[in-house]
Amino acid sequence: AMEKSRPLWDNPLQFVFACISYAVGLGNVWRFPYLCQMYGGGGFLIPYFIMLIAEGMPLLYLELAVGQRMRQGSIGAWKIISPYLCGVGVASVIVSFFLSMYYNVINAWAFWYLFHSFQDPLPWATCPLNSNRTGYEEECEKTSSTPVSSREAKGAQGASPAPPVHWKQGCPAGEELIYYGQSCAFFTPRYFPSFLQVVYVTASLPYCVLIIYLIRGLTLHGAVNGLVYMFTPKLEQLSNPKTWISAATQIFFSLGLGFGSLIAFASYNEPSNNCERHAVIVSLINSTTSIFASIVTFSIYGFKATFNYESCINKVILLLMNAFDLEEGSLTADNLNEMKDYLMATHPQEYTQLLPQLKNCSLEAELDTAVQGTGLAFIVYSEAIKNMEVPQLYSVLYFVMLLMLGIGSMLGNTAAILTPLTDSRVIAAHFPKEVISGAVCFINCMIGLIFTMEAGNYWFDIFNDYAATLSLLLIVLVETIAVCYIYGIRRFEKDLHTMIGRKPNWYWKIMWAFASPLLIISLFIFYLTDYILTGTLQYQAWDATQGQLVTKDYPGYALAVIGLLVAASTMCIPLGALVTFVRKRLKRESVSTV
């Protein structure tokens, strides 16, 4: 029997845009540049592209093909392949649910910064005043870099051990409401694909902003320092297993495999759509964007480092000029070292007294301070922006871009949750689609409020580090094995032949059957041993007295939450198989007793 006609994309281009909008997310902007910095600059591109070929493309193709062939969301699709796999789809939905809970907070932060970008001067350009308005807040004065990092650690993510709702930062709570409202509106799933006209904007706008930033970034003073620093290959890092692990993990998470979003998107395709070509296009565009975003990030990073370095030198010059009554212009950045030696020789006593105040300025050290995650996205950029001319314009542009990246990925995520739910006969029989989307968004919003509390930033880190990592690896591993060995690679080949008009060549088959599963297994083993060997899980806490981050062990209840997050999704897979098995046994017995 023909199923109810399934809504379709307006054209293949819209589908590609949706996939790009989903795959190109915040990770491209803030995670990839950090990995380049950590693991050997330009040399990191070697393992990165090898991993793209060995697992990125094949697994993306696999998910798109499964969605397009089964024309179902993740739960239904894996059920068709084998009833024992019903847990895989459920696991995907749960992981997507966890992700959408905390992902919106990043969007809320972006909103917060966006709203505050229309001021002059920008509110994070200077330290806030202390309570009696005589000077600046001491905690802010203490932070090594600038007001932004303290404001960041406190303001938009005010993190302290106590958990009252923090409305200075709880402003996101209001914005999250707006935000969930939007995602519900997009997903009145009755008209799902046509509603996604939005993807044209969310996919293309970030590129416009990146191009503007590239032109601006490359003309900044000191940008070259950052680019040289990024692209100089440090090939000794290639012998470090962590480099390969990071490359594999980055490709894996950056393409958004295992969440069920790609399956959901592909299920709205025409059955004859060429998903092989689309898989290659999307994965290449995704990787190119990462490199493009790195160039932008590092030109800005170089500008910031050069700015800090030069202001450090100027402080030293000023100090020496005042201490030794030197005439204007006699001391410059170029002859600073010679003058230091000269002063040391002529006025040893006064010079020795000054020594504790003389900072050692080094450009290398400024460039070496690696920042990732929200730190890179919100701190480094905000700090660089406030030193540009017309900082408001660049600030607004930047946070609009972050919002677009965030919203695009959220659309995919919401699709991963709603498509399987609305496809399920049981649920769809009882509730209209609008009610389902409304309920999902509402529950998400309520739980999302946790992340706007005082300790919200720590919860955010827990979700970010543990909610998806191991579970996704396991989900995708089971998916690949299911297609190759349970469904059968021959049968899958025939399906692809009917859909695309040609069989997949040997490259895809070798990757699906051997390379990709082996890669995932080795990643999985690495993560497990890594967790076991480190013994305790640790996190970075903000210490207000020192004005810097310190490393602490997670308390017991946090470990319990981490355990629950990992178990909630991974346990679905064996449980689903077990439930199916028991059901079949019961059916058989009831048949035999009759």
Side-chain angles (χ1 to χ4, degrees):
M2 214 9 220
E3 53 171 329
K4 300 198 297 288
S5 72
R6 191 172 187 78
L8 295 174
W9 298 103
D10 300 343
N11 51 44
L13 187 69
Q14 193 184 11
F15 164 67
V16 172
F17 264 91
C19 287
I20 291 170
S21 175
Y22 166 68
V24 174
L26 298 160
N28 299 61
V29 175
W30 73 38
R31 180 93 184 130
F32 184 80
Y34 164 79
L35 291 174
C36 272
Q37 194 176 0
M38 287 289 286
Y39 299 111
F44 182 70
L45 294 177
I46 300 170
Y48 182 74
F49 277 107
I50 291 176
M51 292 303 177
L52 175 69
I53 290 168
E55 57 158 16
M57 281 184 191
L59 295 176
L60 182 64
Y61 182 18
L62 185 90
E63 289 216 340
L64 293 182
V66 165
Q68 191 172 307
R69 167 74 183 79
M70 306 304 169
R71 302 180 69 73
Q72 286 271 344
S74 51
I75 298 181
W78 297 111
K79 236 186 199 158
I80 297 175
I81 285 180
S82 158
Y84 287 104
L85 292 177
C86 57
V88 181
V90 179
S92 281
V93 171
I94 289 177
V95 171
S96 297
F97 193 70
F98 286 154
L99 185 76
S100 58
M101 277 188 321
Y102 78 84
Y103 211 85
N104 273 323
V105 182
I106 304 172
N107 294 323
W109 288 336
F111 253 133
W112 188 91
Y113 274 99
L114 181 60
F115 285 142
H116 291 271
S117 293
F118 292 102
Q119 303 173 21
D120 185 25
L122 291 171
W124 46 86
T126 52
C127 282
L129 295 172
N130 60 18
S131 43
N132 52 10
R133 303 206 165 254
T134 48
Y136 292 125
E137 230 178 63
E138 79 180 296
E139 178 183 348
C140 175
E141 292 275 89
K142 273 185 196 158
T143 42
S144 53
S145 46
T146 59
V148 182
S149 35
S150 124
R151 156 96 39 162
E152 172 62 31
K154 296 261 304 200
Q157 330 175 340
S160 81
V165 170
H166 197 8
W167 288 108
K168 172 169 64 172
Q169 160 203 13
C171 151
E175 284 147 21
E176 272 176 43
L177 288 167
I178 305 172
Y179 193 69
Y180 284 108
Q182 287 171 335
S183 52
C184 297
F186 291 144
F187 277 95
T188 320
R190 193 157 290 168
Y191 324 103
F192 169 70
S194 55
F195 237 124
L196 274 189
Q197 298 297 350
V198 191
V199 299
Y200 292 122
V201 183
T202 57
S204 50
L205 199 82
Y207 290 100
C208 305
V209 177
L210 278 175
I211 290 168
I212 295 173
Y213 257 97
L214 182 70
I215 298 166
R216 181 74 197 99
L218 294 180
T219 54
L220 286 170
H221 170 61
V224 180
N225 297 340
L227 291 179
V228 168
Y229 180 82
M230 176 193 154
F231 282 113
T232 314
K234 309 182 192 63
L235 294 176
E236 67 277 6
Q237 282 289 354
L238 289 182
S239 60
N240 174 0
K242 274 224 145 143
T243 307
W244 294 85
I245 299 280
S246 302
T249 320
Q250 174 61 17
I251 289 279
F252 193 90
F253 294 125
S254 174
L255 285 169
L257 302 166
F259 285 107
S261 309
L262 296 161
I263 297 180
F265 279 161
S267 71
Y268 298 106
N269 268 339
E270 290 281 357
S272 60
N273 182 46
N274 185 349
C275 50
E276 181 178 324
R277 192 191 316 142
H278 290 164
V280 176
I281 293 174
V282 171
S283 51
L284 285 178
I285 289 183
N286 183 51
S287 295
T288 318
T289 310
S290 292
I291 296 170
F292 183 41
S294 298
I295 295 175
V296 177
T297 302
F298 273 92
S299 61
I300 287 182
Y301 207 74
F303 160 68
K304 173 188 168 246
T306 312
F307 188 90
N308 287 358
Y309 169 64
E310 285 175 358
S311 61
C312 169
I313 290 224
N314 291 336
K315 273 183 194 156
V316 173
I317 291 180
L318 197 67
L319 196 68
L320 292 174
M321 303 260 284
N322 293 344
F324 296 103
D325 284 333
L326 303 169
E327 53 189 271
E328 280 291 320
S330 62
L331 188 55
T332 60
D334 305 323
N335 68 4
L336 181 62
N337 285 341
E338 296 138 42
M339 286 296 281
K340 271 187 182 172
D341 299 340
Y342 166 73
L343 291 170
M344 180 75 203
T346 49
H347 308 74
Q349 268 183 307
E350 295 96 326
Y351 190 81
T352 332
Q353 284 175 329
L354 269 183
L355 264 181
Q357 290 172 278
L358 289 178
K359 283 200 184 119
N360 262 342
C361 305
S362 138
L363 186 60
E364 266 302 295
E366 283 290 347
L367 283 167
D368 271 339
T369 46
V371 190
Q372 70 153 324
T374 42
L376 180 72
F378 292 103
I379 299 178
V380 174
Y381 271 92
S382 323
E383 225 177 83
I385 290 168
K386 77 177 209 297
N387 297 325
M388 295 180 186
E389 51 275 23
V390 223
Q392 288 71 22
L393 170 71
Y394 287 105
S395 196
V396 167
L397 270 179
Y398 176 66
F399 292 113
V400 164
M401 175 182 81
L402 283 191
L403 256 182
M404 286 301 133
L405 290 172
I407 288 179
S409 300
M410 271 317 294
L411 286 175
N413 238 315
T414 325
I417 302 169
L418 292 178
T419 303
L421 292 183
T422 50
D423 280 346
S424 132
R425 291 210 185 91
V426 186
I427 299 176
H430 292 279
F431 305 103
K433 294 181 176 181
E434 289 76 9
V435 173
I436 302 174
S437 2
V440 168
C441 292
F442 179 72
I443 295 168
N444 248 337
C445 183
M446 288 298 101
I447 302 177
L449 289 176
I450 294 174
F451 302 106
T452 62
M453 313 247 181
E454 284 254 352
N457 202 30
Y458 301 142
W459 290 114
F460 175 85
D461 280 340
I462 286 182
F463 270 72
N464 202 12
D465 293 341
Y466 303 103
T469 34
L470 285 175
S471 327
L472 278 189
L473 287 171
L474 188 66
I475 291 171
V476 178
L477 178 63
V478 173
E479 288 182 356
T480 340
I481 292 173
V483 168
C484 293
Y485 300 106
I486 298 177
Y487 189 72
I489 201 149
R490 294 258 161 77
R491 196 168 149 199
F492 193 54
E493 262 188 296
K494 277 193 196 119
D495 288 346
L496 284 168
H497 191 251
T498 27
M499 287 200 298
I500 299 174
R502 63 167 183 275
K503 288 189 169 174
N505 59 22
W506 56 268
Y507 155 70
W508 298 110
K509 287 189 283 196
I510 292 175
M511 292 305 161
W512 285 333
F514 308 107
S516 303
L518 285 175
L519 244 171
I520 298 173
I521 291 171
S522 46
L523 275 182
F524 200 72
I525 293 170
F526 171 82
Y527 271 110
L528 281 179
T529 47
D530 195 45
Y531 286 149
I532 293 163
L533 291 178
T534 43
T536 53
L537 303 177
Q538 295 178 318
Y539 68 103
Q540 299 280 311
W542 175 257
D543 184 345
T545 49
Q546 299 172 32
Q548 60 179 0
L549 291 166
V550 291
T551 304
K552 293 186 173 178
D553 286 351
Y554 273 122
Y557 61 90
L559 292 174
V561 171
I562 291 175
L564 276 172
L565 282 180
V566 177
S569 47
T570 44
M571 291 327 289
C572 292
I573 299 175
L575 279 177
L578 188 71
V579 168
T580 309
F581 177 72
V582 171
R583 267 188 171 167
K584 289 204 160 169
R585 286 301 290 269
L586 291 175
K587 243 189 197 155
R588 216 174 288 150
E589 278 169 18
S590 64
V591 169
S592 59
T593 49
V594 174

